Amino acid sequence: MAVGRPGCVEDHAAEVRLPFIPDLCEHVQKPHEGVRGRSVRAGQGREGVKSPEGQSVAVHEEQFFLFQGTHILCVQIVSYLRYNNPLSPFMHKSAGKKRKQGGTPSMTEKARVRFAPSPTGALHIGGGHTALFNWLWARHTGGSFILRIEDTDRARSTKEFEDTIMSGLEWLGLDWDEGPDRGGSYGPYRQSERLDLYHDTADRLVKEGKAYREGDAVLFRVPPGIALRFDDVVYGSIEMMSDTLKDVVMIKSDGMPTYNYAVVVDDHFMEITHVIRGEDHISNTPKQLLLYDALEWERPAFGHLPMILGTDKKKLSKRQGATSVYEYRDMGYMPDSMFNFLALLGWSAGEENEIFSRNEAVEIFELSRVTKRPAVFDMDKLNFINQEHIRRMDPFDRLALVEPFWREMNLPVDAHSREYLASSLDVLAGRGQTAKQVAGYSDYFLSFEPVKERYDGSDVKKEQLPILRRFYGELFSLPEWKASDLETFTREWSEREGVKMKEIAMPFRMALTGMKVSPGIFEVAEQLGREESRRRIAHFGFTG
RNA sequence: GGUCCCAUCGUCCAGUGGCCUAGGACACAGCCCUUUCAAGGCUGUGACACGGGUUCGAAUCCCGUUGGGACCGCCA
């Protein structure tokens, strides 16, 4: 039969001779064991697909297929042909296909986006996440990333927090093009320095009768019966009736603007194109829409980001551990991994490649691909990502990362050359998920002291000593002190003497590192050098 | 309480009406490798919240239910 020739479904259907159809339908109505099982899916290599009977299988472009000479076929083709064949009496409705809406917005437009923290605390994970997505969008579109300080809360805002937020952003590698510290043509970038702008604009609204004074404050009069609708770049269409809103305060009695009013004024005058912020601002947006419309200003695009939750699925708070980005830095996470990890919360590049650099992320980032549902902050994944980044680092960068933790442990960092230290970390070969762990796993490269503190050699039984002494005696007189030679020799020796590798390698490991877990012990021995290794072995009396 | 938003493995994502017997990653378990531990390789456990529609066909569209969350400040 002719079914199965590649082509569009309509062609296909036309070629099916109706007499076959009832036959096939019967088959499907009483599906017996195996019909489904014997189906072959048209996957990647649809070309040489064979049926279990060895007959060639005709595969349709649309994955409808059947085996020639048999009645086994996909349920789908039967139902499809039955209802869509023009000759069929079942063809009652036109299976009109809806046009797919073209999803991706053009990204040729340079975006002007901003991160607008209030300096009332350290840079938290959520803030870092928001800043990161803004930054990504700015860099992806070749636009600008602006830092604006929203310090209209006189009681809680401090300069210290402003500085600490900026250094947090720097640590994450998020550089801004305009901001209070580096200026720009849309300044000033602190709301407390833009008061005239807010007052002038408020006066205009009062004059137009759209706002009114109440004491020293100015409130916006919310008109009833207005549908406030906007298309969120990530959430889609959102609508709210103005009747559910109370009049919005624009200027507080102390003369400061409120958040909902100041953002509108600033985003307008700073010519922000995309307002990218946390999902908790969705319900603020309609109020701002009202202001934009009353002021007859063009609205920016809005893109809200999913919230980041703790393991308990509640908003991240101190109770679930570290919430500020510095705490992660101090635990030994590196900025690249933090960036990578945060970027993966609410977004993905598609399939593979979860480990990426800033530049790679910039390249492939797409605002419209951001996820809607809240994401849980998963330490396990952060650990994994951090480990991957540490592994891939340049040895000297890795050294710079680990060094502070060694110093904190009072290890004699300066007693060694940079080369020695960097290659010691290379011997570790990616062991350790944080810089802190790496430092802890590698202390024996810097000093014998911690080894002596955790190991005293007492676990070696008296009857083992003669064997060990004989072994080490020969080992230390090897002409070359290289890992490969040490290993070859040890293997041969253990074979010859009938001693298990483990029995001589473990004491060796314990004596050199004081740990029962370490990199390959011969690599460690080579890195330590013959003399230092001999000294450690001798200390425990394993040689003599 | 009112309004709005969300709902795929334990977690993060893929999925935009038929390539889904729902894919990947982390985590977990097992095996391999092996001087230990990582790494690596292989395998496994594991999800479309529920109920109705629409459709020949629904994880995907619609409605409802349930469950989460956010906002409702002269905080931002």
Side-chain angles (χ1 to χ4, degrees), chain A residues 96-392:
Chain A
K97 287 144 210 154
K98 274 176 278 181
R99 259 274 82 83
K100 257 193 256 188
Q101 18 107 298
T104 53
S106 82
M107 73 218 68
T108 43
E109 185 201 346
K110 290 187 176 188
R112 274 182 67 78
V113 299
R114 83 302 193 274
F115 176 57
S118 77
T120 53
L123 180 64
H124 278 219
I125 294 298
H129 182 251
T130 302
L132 169 28
F133 277 62
N134 272 285
W135 182 89
L136 274 174
W137 188 235
R139 297 292 171 255
H140 177 76
T141 60
S144 305
F145 178 55
I146 294 135
L147 177 63
R148 183 173 73 219
I149 301 296
E150 310 217 328
D151 55 349
T152 55
D153 185 337
R154 277 177 166 163
R156 297 194 300 143
S157 299
T158 71
K159 183 71 171 60
E160 286 65 43
F161 282 134
E162 184 182 311
D163 293 340
T164 198
I165 286 170
M166 291 202 277
S167 68
L169 292 172
E170 275 162 6
W171 183 74
L172 274 173
L174 309 179
D175 56 318
W176 52 99
D177 306 295
E178 298 167 30
D181 59 327
R182 64 198 66 179
S185 36
Y186 295 81
Y189 293 90
R190 264 183 216 100
Q191 290 187 328
S192 58
E193 295 165 12
R194 301 167 64 82
L195 298 183
D196 288 350
L197 201 51
Y198 308 125
H199 282 113
D200 292 349
T201 307
D203 286 346
R204 190 185 120 200
L205 248 26
V206 172
K207 227 165 275 163
E208 292 171 6
K210 293 171 179 167
Y212 57 94
R213 291 180 196 284
E214 197 175 277
D216 294 326
V218 180
L219 312 229
F220 179 78
R221 186 176 287 119
V222 174
I226 309 277
L228 277 351
R229 197 191 145 272
F230 67 103
D231 278 304
D232 192 282
V233 182
V234 347
Y235 283 84
S237 174
I238 293 175
E239 186 178 307
M240 188 188 284
M241 291 305 291
S242 63
D243 307 66
T244 63
L245 266 28
K246 294 192 288 190
D247 284 357
V248 335
V249 178
M250 295 163 60
I251 306 283
K252 303 184 255 181
S253 302
D254 67 358
M256 286 296 209
T258 59
Y259 163 77
N260 278 306
Y261 170 61
V263 256
V264 171
V265 173
D266 290 338
D267 287 340
H268 169 74
F269 286 112
M270 291 183 177
E271 295 179 26
I272 299 301
T273 59
H274 295 72
V275 172
I276 301 170
R277 67 214 330 182
E279 182 252 40
D280 48 339
H281 285 291
I282 285 186
S283 26
N284 283 324
T285 309
K287 294 175 201 164
Q288 296 164 20
L289 257 27
L290 230 30
L291 261 12
Y292 276 106
D293 295 351
L295 261 1
E296 297 175 306
W297 288 343
E298 194 187 338
R299 287 137 78 144
F302 293 94
H304 289 91
L305 269 19
M307 303 262 82
I308 298 179
L309 275 25
T311 324
D312 59 357
K313 297 248 191 182
K314 296 241 169 66
K315 203 169 170 181
L316 214 51
S317 75
K318 280 120 233 156
R319 220 173 309 108
Q320 15 249 305
T323 52
S324 105
V325 302
Y326 313 107
E327 294 175 73
Y328 289 89
R329 177 195 58 198
D330 296 343
M331 284 188 282
Y333 293 93
M334 56 180 297
D336 289 351
S337 2
M338 213 58 205
F339 181 103
N340 191 157
F341 173 68
L342 252 20
L344 248 18
L345 256 28
W347 176 73
S348 89
E351 276 286 321
E352 277 310 311
N353 188 27
E354 302 225 299
I355 306 294
F356 46 71
S357 68
R358 283 186 187 73
N359 288 342
E360 287 166 333
V362 165
E363 188 103 357
I364 53 184
F365 182 73
E366 195 55 62
L367 194 57
S368 60
R369 278 189 61 88
V370 170
T371 314
K372 294 178 192 168
R373 65 179 175 125
V376 173
F377 188 96
D378 180 15
M379 282 295 273
D380 283 333
K381 187 128 182 183
L382 208 212
N383 286 333
F384 167 77
I385 289 174
N386 201 51
Q387 179 168 27
E388 285 301 309
H389 280 276
I390 291 177
R391 275 159 67 95
R392 297 170 190 209

Side-chain angles (χ1 to χ4, degrees), chain A residues 336-499:
Chain A
D336 289 351
S337 2
M338 213 58 205
F339 181 103
N340 191 157
F341 173 68
L342 252 20
L344 248 18
L345 256 28
W347 176 73
S348 89
E351 276 286 321
E352 277 310 311
N353 188 27
E354 302 225 299
I355 306 294
F356 46 71
S357 68
R358 283 186 187 73
N359 288 342
E360 287 166 333
V362 165
E363 188 103 357
I364 53 184
F365 182 73
E366 195 55 62
L367 194 57
S368 60
R369 278 189 61 88
V370 170
T371 314
K372 294 178 192 168
R373 65 179 175 125
V376 173
F377 188 96
D378 180 15
M379 282 295 273
D380 283 333
K381 187 128 182 183
L382 208 212
N383 286 333
F384 167 77
I385 289 174
N386 201 51
Q387 179 168 27
E388 285 301 309
H389 280 276
I390 291 177
R391 275 159 67 95
R392 297 170 190 209
M393 272 179 116
D394 169 86
F396 288 95
D397 288 344
R398 190 188 296 125
L399 171 57
L401 183 72
V402 174
E403 189 177 337
F405 294 94
W406 275 337
R407 291 194 187 279
E408 204 170 278
M409 296 159 70
N410 291 316
L411 289 164
V413 176
D414 300 315
H416 304 277
S417 72
R418 310 301 292 172
E419 288 70 25
Y420 172 82
L421 294 172
S423 68
S424 295
L425 292 180
D426 258 357
V427 171
L428 233 50
R431 269 161 263 243
Q433 295 189 307
T434 64
K436 199 170 189 161
Q437 278 182 9
V438 171
Y441 291 168
S442 57
D443 58 359
Y444 50 82
F445 285 120
L446 283 78
S447 167
F448 187 33
E449 295 310 311
V451 177
K452 289 190 280 192
E453 275 169 36
R454 53 183 175 243
Y455 182 63
D456 62 5
S458 62
D459 62 328
V460 172
K461 296 190 197 87
K462 280 195 183 67
E463 50 271 34
Q464 281 181 277
L465 273 178
I467 301 173
L468 290 181
R469 287 185 176 151
R470 200 143 47 82
F471 167 66
Y472 290 125
E474 293 184 45
L475 189 77
F476 282 107
S477 24
L478 244 34
E480 292 269 1
W481 192 255
K482 281 178 51 196
S484 54
D485 293 353
L486 296 176
E487 178 169 355
T488 307
F489 170 79
T490 307
R491 282 191 191 289
E492 283 168 5
W493 195 89
S494 73
E495 180 111 354
R496 174 154 32 93
E497 303 289 326
V499 178

